Amino acid sequence: MSATPSQVVDQFLGAVTGASIPECSVWAQDAVLDATVPNWRFRVVGPDAIRAEYRGWFADPGELDELERHPVPGGEVVRYLLRCTEDGVPHVAHHVHVLEIGDGLVRRDTVVCGGRWPQSLQDEMAEAQAAADAAVDAS
């Protein structure tokens, strides 16, 4: 019996947070990763190519904040903020995955990534958000 879409996503997210993408086996042989990243879009096909790409994205163990999972016919839409530490520096990344799942495997992962932000950039974004919030409160 094949895994349910929810179980497949559980395995994928476990590999993301556990930095265990090389051992992850959720992708079909003809699976497609269609990725939009800051200022670029690309596509790779097949589990080896997907693992090779994601090995760099998810190289460090992390935690998922703001996790949302929305089952849809034939898959799941997943949104999260990934927190990890890279070379001693805290980082976050914001991702949305539209996962098409069939026969217990990911057939297509359309992912949008806002980039990976080191602590210094997170601090800058927090300051900008505080200023924007203060302006709204003042009006």
Side-chain angles (χ1 to χ4, degrees):
M1 180 178 224
S2 64
T4 66
S6 181
Q7 290 169 326
V8 172
V9 174
D10 287 345
Q11 291 174 30
F12 172 63
L13 294 177
V16 165
T17 58
S20 59
I21 288 292
E23 295 81 34
C24 191
S25 58
V26 298
W27 298 282
Q29 286 302 329
D30 59 349
V32 174
L33 170 63
D34 179 356
T36 301
V37 297
N39 302 312
W40 201 257
R41 182 179 180 193
F42 65 93
R43 185 178 93 138
V44 297
V45 178
D48 292 338
I50 294 170
R51 277 191 289 269
E53 181 61 36
Y54 276 166
R55 189 175 304 129
W57 290 33
F58 306 118
D60 301 296
E63 297 177 9
L64 300 179
D65 287 345
E66 303 176 19
L67 176 62
E68 293 180 15
R69 294 178 61 172
H70 304 279
V72 295
E76 194 166 316
V77 177
V78 180
R79 185 189 72 79
Y80 57 78
L81 190 69
L82 174 65
R83 294 189 180 283
C84 65
T85 300
E86 180 182 323
D87 297 325
V89 177
H91 282 71
V92 296
H94 192 208
H95 296 168
V96 175
H97 296 264
V98 179
L99 297 160
E100 297 175 25
I101 300 168
D103 299 323
L105 295 169
V106 174
R107 300 283 175 193
R108 182 177 193 86
D109 180 357
T110 303
V111 62
V112 177
C113 171
R116 188 179 318 202
W117 312 313
Q119 188 63 55
S120 59
L121 189 52
Q122 293 174 61
D123 294 344
E124 187 179 328
M125 286 187 286
E127 284 180 30
Q129 187 62 56
D133 293 344
V136 168
D137 292 342
S139 61

